[in-house]
């Protein structure tokens, strides 16, 4: 029983000591304002600064120990009144950028460079007045009654931050002054997303504004250092979605970023730095992020692959997929791990996607079409390789075949078109595209062979001409020698 009493006393002392420490510092300002029963004083008593022992003078200056108001608010005592504009953030930075104050005096491990980060962010730009920055510390954290971001009462708590951000970002008149191109319906879209619905139901773990855009380091989406810059988005989304422990309660996979990184889209974006390649938000959305359902995913793919989507929509596979409730594009191409659309996907080999559904017994017509289409595209490739080899051979021999080389581009184009035409799943249409490519390849083959034949004809002609010239030259030489000998003999006779 005595142990329990001692424990209780120690606990009470532990709970009261911070308050006693805070109140040990004289704060006559607060005493007067409490007597006036004003709102700031009421809020400040619940402020984290009050709990840490910071007096009103910490932000407003002056002498909080003075009994008389005139003395406490004297300019020689450093009284500055209510800070305005950038002076607000400068007042906050006096402590929050000072390691000795934050760590030694207040035992705080908060980052010390928020003000510098804020100055380099999009909110650190000058306002329309040109005299102050767009946002100050109090814009998001409030002036009095500031609490930890982990406190549900904080404006920057995950459950409140969307409303805090929307105070400006949902104000069309305000946003028009800074960036008319930015939408002002982000909050409404967010509320329709999976993140927004769960956040609205009290789930503080799901992504809110700061989760993706950052807190003090918010940058424009076009800034390469921004967390929502296209090539940075997979890492930003992966902060949560690749964390198995964090995502455990949501029962969704956590391998999406890994699969995406190895996909044709991921390699284009992350390795080749092709900003036209899709990132997470291109398929799932931005503020209205949601997993694409069976119908919408094809619409998403179709925004880039428009012709493929159009051909598929009029193909026999459309009705078949709908009747079986199969997703369209991803049934053959996959989800996050999308591979390059090579010829290996077509045909009836074990690795071809066609063979997943079609075989000689279950669907002989589709099986035959897949087999024939693969044979056609293989034949076109063979014709192209042969034509290219002949043209390259002719070029190496110094023959002029630039026109044939240019024509060969039409064969490559036909092969690319055939990969698109596959989505019509119409063998006749596919054959027509292939035939055009084969026709051009045959023509180029003939021109290449003709150039090589001409090369050898010239070589033989040159050889024969050289031989004739050599014989003639030799004959002339011998004739001249005979004439010279005859003249020499005649001179000796005389």
């Amino acid at each position: 029983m005595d142990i329990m009493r001692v424990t209780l006393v120690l606990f009470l002392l532990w709970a009261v000591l911070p308050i006693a420490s805070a109140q040990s510092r004289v704060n006559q300002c607060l005493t007067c304002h409490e007597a006036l029963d004003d709102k700031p004083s009421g809020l400040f008593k619940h402020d984290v600064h009050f709990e840490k022992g910071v007096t009103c003078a910490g932000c407003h200056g002056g002498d909080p120990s003075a009994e008389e108001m005139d003395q406490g608010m004297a300019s020689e005592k450093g009284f500055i009144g209510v800070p305005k504009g950038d002076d607000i953030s400068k007042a906050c930075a006096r402590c929050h950028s000072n390691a000795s104050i934050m760590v030694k005096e207040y035992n705080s491990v908060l980052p010390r460079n928020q003000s510098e980060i804020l100055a380099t962010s999009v909110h650190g730009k000058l306002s329309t007045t040109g005299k102050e920055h767009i946002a100050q510390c109090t814009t998001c954290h409030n002036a009095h009654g500031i609490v930890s971001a982990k406190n549900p009462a904080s404006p920057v708590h995950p459950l409140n931050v969307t409303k805090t951000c929307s105070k400006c970002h949902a104000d069309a008149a305000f946003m028009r002054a800074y960036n008319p191109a930015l939408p002002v319906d982000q909050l409404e879209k967010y509320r329709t997303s999976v993140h927004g619905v769960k956040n609205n139901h009290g789930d503080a773990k799901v992504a809110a504004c700061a989760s993706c855009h950052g807190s003090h380091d918010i940058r424009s989406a076009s800034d390469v250092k921004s967390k929502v810059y296209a090539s940075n988005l997979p890492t930003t989304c992966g902060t949560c979605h690749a964390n198995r422990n964090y995502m455990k309660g949501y029962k969704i996979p956590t391998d999406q970023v890994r699969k995406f990184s190895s996909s044709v889209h991921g390699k284009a974006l992350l390795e080749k730095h092709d900003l036209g390649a899709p990132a997470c938000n291109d398929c799932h959305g931005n503020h209205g992020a949601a997993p694409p359902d069976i119908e919408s995913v094809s619409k998403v793919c179709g925004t880039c692959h428009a012709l493929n989507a159009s051909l598929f929509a009029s193909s026999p596979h459309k009705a078949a997929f709908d009747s079986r409730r199969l997703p369209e594009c991803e049934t053959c191409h996959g989800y996050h791990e999308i591979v390059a659309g090579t010829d290996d996907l077509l045909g009836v080999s074990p690795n071809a996607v066609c063979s997943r559904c079609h075989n000689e017994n279950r669907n002989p017509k589709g099986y035959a079409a897949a087999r024939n289409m693969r044979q056609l595209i293989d034949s076109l490739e063979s014709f192209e390789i042969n034509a290219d080899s002949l043209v390259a051979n002719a070029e190496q021999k110094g023959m002029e075949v630039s026109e044939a080389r240019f024509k060969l581009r039409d064969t490559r184009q036909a092969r690319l078109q055939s990969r698109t035409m596959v989505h019509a799943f119409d063998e006749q249409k596919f054959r027509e595209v292939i035939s055009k490519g084969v026709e051009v390849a045959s023509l180029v083959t003939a021109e290449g062979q003709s150039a090589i034949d001409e090369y050898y004809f010239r070589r033989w002609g040159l050889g024969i001409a050289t031989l004739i010239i050599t014989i003639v030259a030799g004959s002339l030489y011998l004739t001249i020698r005979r004439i010279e000998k005859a003249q020499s003999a005649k001179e000796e006779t005389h």
Side-chain angles (χ1 to χ4, degrees), residues 109 116 141 195 235 275 411 446 449 462:
V109 292
E116 289 128 3
H141 294 280
H195 295 146
T235 300
L275 300 183
T411 303
Q449 186 61 56
L462 179 62

Side-chain angles (χ1 to χ4, degrees), residues 58-73:
C59 299
H60 299 283
D63 183 1
S65 64
E67 293 287 342
E68 297 295 329
M69 182 177 69
D70 291 342
Q71 295 176 358
M73 298 172 63

Side-chain angles (χ1 to χ4, degrees), residues 469-489:
I469 292 171
T470 302
I471 293 172
V472 170
S475 299
L476 288 172
Y477 175 77
L478 293 174
T479 301
I480 293 170
R481 291 291 297 168
R482 267 199 317 272
I483 293 171
E484 288 176 348
K485 286 181 179 181
Q487 288 178 346
S488 296

Side-chain angles (χ1 to χ4, degrees), residues 390-406 447-448 450-452 454-455 458:
L390 287 171
V391 171
N393 191 4
E395 284 177 329
Q396 189 176 18
K397 296 181 186 309
M399 302 303 293
E400 173 53 47
V401 287
S402 58
E403 185 176 351
R405 172 67 70 187
F406 184 80
E447 292 181 1
S450 176
I452 292 173
E454 184 180 351
Y455 167 78
R458 292 178 182 179

Side-chain angles (χ1 to χ4, degrees), residues 19-78:
I19 300 175
S21 175
Q23 293 177 341
S24 65
R25 300 189 182 188
V26 179
N27 193 353
Q28 191 62 34
C29 311
L30 182 61
T31 302
C32 291
H33 280 273
E34 280 185 307
L36 297 172
D37 194 27
D38 62 7
K39 186 177 180 180
S41 62
L43 291 172
F44 186 67
K45 289 171 66 176
H46 302 285
D47 194 297
V48 67
H49 298 106
F50 176 77
E51 294 175 2
K52 294 289 185 179
V54 179
T55 66
C56 302
C59 299
H60 299 283
D63 183 1
S65 64
E67 293 287 342
E68 297 295 329
M69 182 177 69
D70 291 342
Q71 295 176 358
M73 298 172 63
S75 58
E76 56 269 20
K77 296 291 186 178

Side-chain angles (χ1 to χ4, degrees), residues 392-461:
N393 191 4
E395 284 177 329
Q396 189 176 18
K397 296 181 186 309
M399 302 303 293
E400 173 53 47
V401 287
S402 58
E403 185 176 351
R405 172 67 70 187
F406 184 80
K407 289 178 182 177
L408 195 60
R409 295 172 60 187
D410 292 338
T411 303
R412 296 193 184 98
Q413 183 62 28
R415 189 149 57 89
L416 292 175
Q417 287 177 351
S418 69
R419 290 179 179 175
T420 300
M421 189 55 68
V422 165
H423 297 87
F425 302 101
D426 186 320
E427 185 179 342
Q428 183 56 39
K429 291 181 178 179
F430 188 82
R431 188 181 296 275
E432 290 174 2
V433 174
I434 294 292
S435 296
K436 291 178 181 178
V438 170
E439 183 179 347
V440 174
S442 300
L443 179 61
V444 172
T445 298
E447 292 181 1
Q449 186 61 56
S450 176
I452 292 173
D453 292 343
E454 184 180 351
Y455 167 78
Y456 284 112
F457 175 78
R458 292 178 182 179
R459 289 290 299 272
W460 278 106

Side-chain angles (χ1 to χ4, degrees), residues 263-301:
S263 74
V264 64
H265 292 152
K267 289 180 179 179
L269 178 66
L270 303 176
E271 295 179 13
K272 299 178 182 178
H273 306 289
D274 180 1
L275 300 183
C280 311
N281 63 321
D282 290 287
C283 299
H284 293 278
N286 293 303
H287 300 94
D293 56 31
I294 291 175
E295 176 62 24
S296 70
V297 72
S298 62
K299 307 298 183 187
V300 172
C301 300

